[in-house]
């Protein structure tokens, strides 16, 4: 008999339709429901159950914990990285360990949301949770994203709510030359089916023109007319139409993919979108929301901030938490070889920049690696210690933060193949503390690192 | 076991006003007596008080989390980390705190935050004044259903009390309704201005919402009455609406929170003046009402409120960055960093109004110390506020140097009252405990939680209250001379409202499931706080009334 369980793979970070995982008799799996990202994550569960490529540090958990603690005790610049696919509590444990070690900690995926975080910290953001957008928005501006197909739950209005019969109009910004969603007058809108909802206005934007378009829209909603007949490939008349619809909406929602604000100039785009939404509130209600970096990046950032005051890239090397995106992040600590010990917690990658993008790696020798998670990070089989853990949302319970800041429960439908990540971090922390005490007792003059 | 010997005991709930005596502690409680061999703490010359209680603070949940993301520049001044929050409170002798505004859907994460705050006991208030499901019950006049919903919601969220913030006003801001209080000008400014007491929003009025919630709470016998953040927060002239609201609710016990922000006369910010005397007069003549002040402290603050339209107004008035979160048809949230300046008219008048309320409410059992942390300033300023209350000359000195509006537009300069030590113990301990229905707190009689603070009496009142000689939590010495020496785990206090039983309960929950799945994107199964999520929970029993 196949085992069928409801799972919540910690993957898309959005309200997602339920995902079901079937473990078939032959040990293979079948995944139904969910969005593509969640299905892919759930399907990878089979990999998680396979033997790891390499497991050093002894077999028993306690031996591995001891080996990990010994590495960290000797480390001068330890770096904890990952956490973006872990339960929220893991980030708290990671912050506690980093504080004890005098190391640094960062979240995998946080760099993707870096521009949006900068915009938030600069000007704020008028936002809303996804349920509120679903139930109230009468205009959606989808900026280089269209979650209607992958996440219909974001837009299906339950019949009980007062706005159930009011369909939202949709304006999309798409790359020029791509096949746009069906544009038209929205004559079939009342039929329901959010995923099939028509698009009312399409703005085909040339590559690299997002900033110009965002600034122009902001100018137009503030009654300032941009110069020229088109901006970034979008005719000014169409931009005027979009701006007018935003102003006339009762409750507009601007959603964008984090990729739209990543890369060169992404900061300015994020700032412009935040300010566009802010300015629209002088005329009507408007909320804005990036769709987030996926996984539990939002929850981990909030947990890190609650634990040490800052949401990412925090160093405890000076004894007090210091905030340093660009300094205490993976690109620097791993990519430039500044860390001499890595604790990779639920990480999917090494978090490095591409070789060509690195300012120069300092050859300080290979960092020792402690990998904790359901599987080793991709392309990485050199862990000194690998502790296989249960999978959050599949075989380990917990909670995770969605992109809108709400926390949801992660169920554990299947028995765990190992301890939870938070348990492992707690055990390592206790072991490091024990080593410190022992070391101090033997040599009271030796300073703690 | 511990005998605190020969201290000057200030325990107003038990009529002790500084007489010398012993306090005996056994098994985390105050007990009648101990064996002669019990360990002794010599307290000769020291003042002994119960642990202090902050019944209105903002320290946990997604709103505070968002504030940390928004304001890294705060550096922990107003937004300390969770562990620092517990340590800072305990260091000052505070042993119980209440997170004052949590959306039901966010209760799980708020409890996770509270769990990470060490030492102090804590609880949270659940926001219901703009909850679409609650408004539906009120709109349909199904008040029995509302009462059951309030009970279900508090039970599901492990909440301690019911909070209403700008009832109806936040829903109006979200759905675009314009109230009679609406000012001329751009549409959104009018939206943000909010409804009057009898303006209809989503088929109900603020008056009906408040009355229905107060009645449901009373019927359930919850330990704390409706915790009400009235409409019109921060608006010049809002005192008139506040008085109307208070008069409308005079038949019910209600706690009016951060009253300072609701006590303004004048018509514009430049014309702001105090009407604290009118509101204090009303409180003085209505013994069922309690208030906390929401005292403003000069310096940087971070304003965090479920009253999202009020926060939008503040953003528009100051130009500072603004975060908003409309939350799953349950409530709103707004965050704006702010600075209260001595040289600024509005700040100075706000500062003076808070002190007026403290000094004009005759009965200290019904006025409590709060800064509405971090809205009026950080809770770490409590010792400085205590000095302002106890030292008239110091107060006059500050009044003389701040903006002249504080002298011209308030009557603070003419108030000579100085709080006694006994009164300080009431407004920070005995009074909040009574208002919260916490029989084991706020006093040092047998059976009380052994939350005890020893102070070294000093002319420097601020230093005295900032750095107790010793802080004891549940019988364990956790603080000495301003240092935390032991980090214990506090309790989570929650209400235990009576619920319908059997088939009636099943039918009700089926209906609630449909409503929640309609309004939120969180699965019904994930909505309640699960059993076992609170590691040290304590239910505070209800006392149902007919």
């Amino acid at each position: 008999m196949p085992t069928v369980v409801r799972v919540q793979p910690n993957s898309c970070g959005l309200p997602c339709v339920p995902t079901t995982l079937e473990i078939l008799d032959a040990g293979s799996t079948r995944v139904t429901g969910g969005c593509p990202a969640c299905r892919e994550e759930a399907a990878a569960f089979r990999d998680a159950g396979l033997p790891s490529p390499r497991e050093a540090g002894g077999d028993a958990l306690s031996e591995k914990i001891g080996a990990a603690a010994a590495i960290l005790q000797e480390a001068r610049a330890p770096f904890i990285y990952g956490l973006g696919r872990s339960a929220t509590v893991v980030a708290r444990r990671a912050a506690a360990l980093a504080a004890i070690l005098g190391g640094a900690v960062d979240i995998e995926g946080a760099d993707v949301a870096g521009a949006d975080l900068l915009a938030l910290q600069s000007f704020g953001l008028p936002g809303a949770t996804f349920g509120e957008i679903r139930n109230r928005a009468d205009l959606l501006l989808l900026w280089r994203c269209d979650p209607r197909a992958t996440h219909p739950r974001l837009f299906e209005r339950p019949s009980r709510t007062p706005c159930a019969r009011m369909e939202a109009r949709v304006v999309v910004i798409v790359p020029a030359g791509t096949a746009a969603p069906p544009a038209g007058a929205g004559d079939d809108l009342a039929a329901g089916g959010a995923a099939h909802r028509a698009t009312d206005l399409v703005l085909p934007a040339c590559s690299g023109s997002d900033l110009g378009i965002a600034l122009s829209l902001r100018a137009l909603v503030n009654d300032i007319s941009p110069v020229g007949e088109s901006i970034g490939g979008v005719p000014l008349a169409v931009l005027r139409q979009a701006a007018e619809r935003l102003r006339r909406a009762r409750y507009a929602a601007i959603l964008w993919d984090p990729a739209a604000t990543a890369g060169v100039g992404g900061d300015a785009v994020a700032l412009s979108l935040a300010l566009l939404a802010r300015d629209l509130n002088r005329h009507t209600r408007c909320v804005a929301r990036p769709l987030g970096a996926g996984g539990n990046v939002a929850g981990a950032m909030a947990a890190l901030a609650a634990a040490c005051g800052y949401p990412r890239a925090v160093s405890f090397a000076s004894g007090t938490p210091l905030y340093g995106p660009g300094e205490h992040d993976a690109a620097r600590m791993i990519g430039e070889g500044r860390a001499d010990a890595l604790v990779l917690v639920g990480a999917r990658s090494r978090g490095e920049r591409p070789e060509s993008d690195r300012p120069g790696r300092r050859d300080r020798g290979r960092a020792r690696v402690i990998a904790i998670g359901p599987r080793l990070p991709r392309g990485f089989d050199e862990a000194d210690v690998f502790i296989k853990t249960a999978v959050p949302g599949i075989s380990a319970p917990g909670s995770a933060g969605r992109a809108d800041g709400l926390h949801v429960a992660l169920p554990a439908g299947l028995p765990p193949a190992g301890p939870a990540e938070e348990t492992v971090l707690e055990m390592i922390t206790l072991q490091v503390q024990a080593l410190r005490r022992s070391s101090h007792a033997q040599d009271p003059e030796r300073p703690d690192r | 076991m511990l005998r605190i010997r020969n201290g000057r005991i200030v325990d107003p709930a038990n009529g002790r006003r500084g007489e010398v005596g012993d306090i005996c502690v056994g098994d985390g409680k105050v007990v009648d007596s101990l064996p002669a061999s019990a360990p002794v703490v010599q307290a000769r010359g020291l003042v002994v008080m119960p642990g202090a209680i902050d019944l209105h603070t903002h320290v946990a949940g997604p709103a505070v989390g968002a504030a940390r993301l928004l304001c890294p520049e705060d550096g922990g001044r107003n937004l300390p980390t969770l562990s620092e929050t517990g340590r800072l409170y305990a260091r000052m002798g505070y042993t119980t705190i209440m997170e004052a505004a949590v959306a039901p859907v966010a209760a799980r994460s708020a409890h996770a935050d509270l769990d990470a705050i060490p030492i102090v006991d804590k609880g949270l208030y659940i926001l219901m004044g703009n909850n679409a499901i609650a408004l539906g019950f009120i709109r349909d006049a199904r008040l029995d259903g509302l009462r059951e919903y309030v009970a279900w919601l508090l039970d599901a969220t492990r909440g301690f009390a019911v909070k209403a913030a700008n009832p109806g006003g936040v829903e109006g801001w979200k759905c675009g309704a314009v109230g009679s209080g609406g000012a001329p000008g751009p549409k959104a400014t009018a939206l943000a201005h909010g409804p009057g007491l009898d303006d209809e929003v989503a088929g109900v009025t603020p008056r009906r919402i408040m009355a229905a919630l107060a009645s449901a709470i009373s019927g359930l016998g919850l330990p704390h009455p409706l915790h009400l953040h009235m409409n019109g927060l921060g608006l010049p002239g809002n005192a008139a609406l506040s008085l109307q609201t208070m008069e409308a609710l005079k038949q019910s016990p209600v706690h009016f929170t951060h009253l300072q922000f609701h006590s303004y006369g004048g018509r514009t910010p430049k014309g702001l003046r105090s009407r604290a005397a009118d509101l204090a007069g009303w409180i003085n003549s209505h013994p069922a009402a309690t208030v906390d002040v929401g005292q403003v402290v000069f310096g940087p603050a971070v304003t965090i409120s479920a009253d999202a339209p009020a926060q939008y107004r503040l953003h528009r008035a100051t130009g500072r960055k603004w975060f908003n979160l409309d939350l799953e048809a349950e409530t709103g949230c707004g965050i704006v960093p702010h600075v209260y300046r001595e040289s600024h008219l509005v700040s100075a008048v706000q500062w003076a109004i808070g002190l007026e309320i403290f000094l004009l409410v005759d009965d200290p059992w019904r006025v409590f110390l709060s800064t509405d942390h971090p809205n009026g300033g950080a809770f770490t300023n409590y010792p400085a506020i205590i000095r302002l209350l106890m030292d008239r000359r110091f107060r006059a000195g500050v009044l003389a140097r701040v903006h002249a509006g504080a002298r011209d537009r308030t009557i603070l300069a003419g108030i000579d009252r100085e709080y006694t030590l006994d009164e300080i113990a009431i407004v920070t301990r005995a009074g909040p405990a009574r208002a919260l229905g916490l029989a084991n707190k706020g006093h040092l009689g047998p059976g009380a939680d052994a939350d005890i603070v020893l102070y070294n009496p000093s002319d420097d009142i601020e230093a005295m209250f900032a750095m107790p000689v010793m802080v004891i939590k549940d019988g364990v010495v956790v603080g000495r001379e301003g240092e935390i020496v032991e980090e214990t785990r506090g309790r989570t206090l929650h209400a235990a409202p009576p619920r319908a039983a059997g088939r009636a309960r099943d039918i009700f929950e089926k209906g609630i499931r449909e409503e929640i799945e309609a309004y939120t994107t969180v699965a019904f199964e994930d909505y309640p706080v699960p059993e076992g999520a609170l590691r040290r929970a304590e239910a505070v029993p209800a006392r149902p009334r007919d």
Side-chain angles (χ1 to χ4, degrees), chain B residues 118 138 501:
Chain B
I138 297 166

Side-chain angles (χ1 to χ4, degrees), chain B residues 430-482:
Chain B
R434 184 183 286 181
L436 291 169
L438 298 174
N440 297 339
K441 295 196 179 292
H443 71 98
L444 295 173
D449 294 339
D451 301 346
I452 305 166
V453 193
L454 279 59
Y455 294 106
N456 195 357
S458 163
D459 290 340
D460 187 343
I461 295 164
E462 185 174 341
M464 170 184 164
F465 281 94
M467 198 174 292
V469 174
M470 183 177 286
V471 180
I472 298 168
K473 178 78 187 73
D474 292 323
V476 176
V477 177
V478 295
R480 285 181 194 273
E481 307 285 358

Side-chain angles (χ1 to χ4, degrees), chain A residues 3-50:
Chain A
T3 304
V4 183
V5 292
R6 174 194 164 225
V7 296
Q8 175 116 22
N10 204 354
S11 191
C12 68
L14 302 173
C16 203
V17 294
T19 308
T20 302
L21 176 64
E22 277 182 82
I23 310 288
L24 304 172
D25 291 337
S28 59
T29 58
R30 183 163 60 204
V31 182
T32 52
C35 67
C38 287
R39 281 199 297 275
E40 184 186 355
E41 180 73 7
F45 175 74
R46 185 163 173 269
D47 297 337
L50 296 174

Side-chain angles (χ1 to χ4, degrees), chain A residues 92 120-121 123-125 127-129 131-132 134-136 158 160 250-251 281-282 285 305-306 311 402 409, chain B residues 68-70 81-82 108 112-113 171 173-174 186 188 312 316 321-322 324 326-329 514-515 518-519 521:
Chain A
R92 287 188 182 158
L120 173 76
Q121 292 172 343
F123 294 105
L125 186 76
T129 59
E132 202 78 72
R134 180 188 71 178
N135 288 340
R136 285 190 207 273
R160 298 175 77 92
R250 218 165 83 147
Y251 193 102
N281 277 280
R282 292 178 189 166
R285 284 306 318 283
R402 298 190 326 201
Chain B
R68 288 196 186 93
L69 296 183
L70 180 72
T81 64
L82 294 170
R108 289 172 74 117
D113 283 357
E171 175 61 22
W173 152 255
K174 287 196 241 180
Y312 180 68
R316 295 284 287 146
K321 60 185 173 183
W322 165 56
N324 176 83
D326 296 342
L327 239 154
E328 300 289 274
E514 289 171 7
E515 296 273 2
Y519 283 107
T521 47

Side-chain angles (χ1 to χ4, degrees), chain A residues 133 137-142 155 168-172 197 253 255:
Chain A
I133 292 170
D138 61 346
L139 182 87
L140 297 171
L141 172 56
L142 304 178
F155 306 101
R169 297 171 74 85
V170 181
V171 176
V172 296
R197 189 176 297 161
L255 303 176

Side-chain angles (χ1 to χ4, degrees), chain B residues 218-224 434 436-437 498 541-545:
Chain B
S218 186
L220 290 166
L222 297 180
H224 185 52
R434 184 183 286 181
L436 291 169
R543 292 159 296 170
R545 292 176 281 271

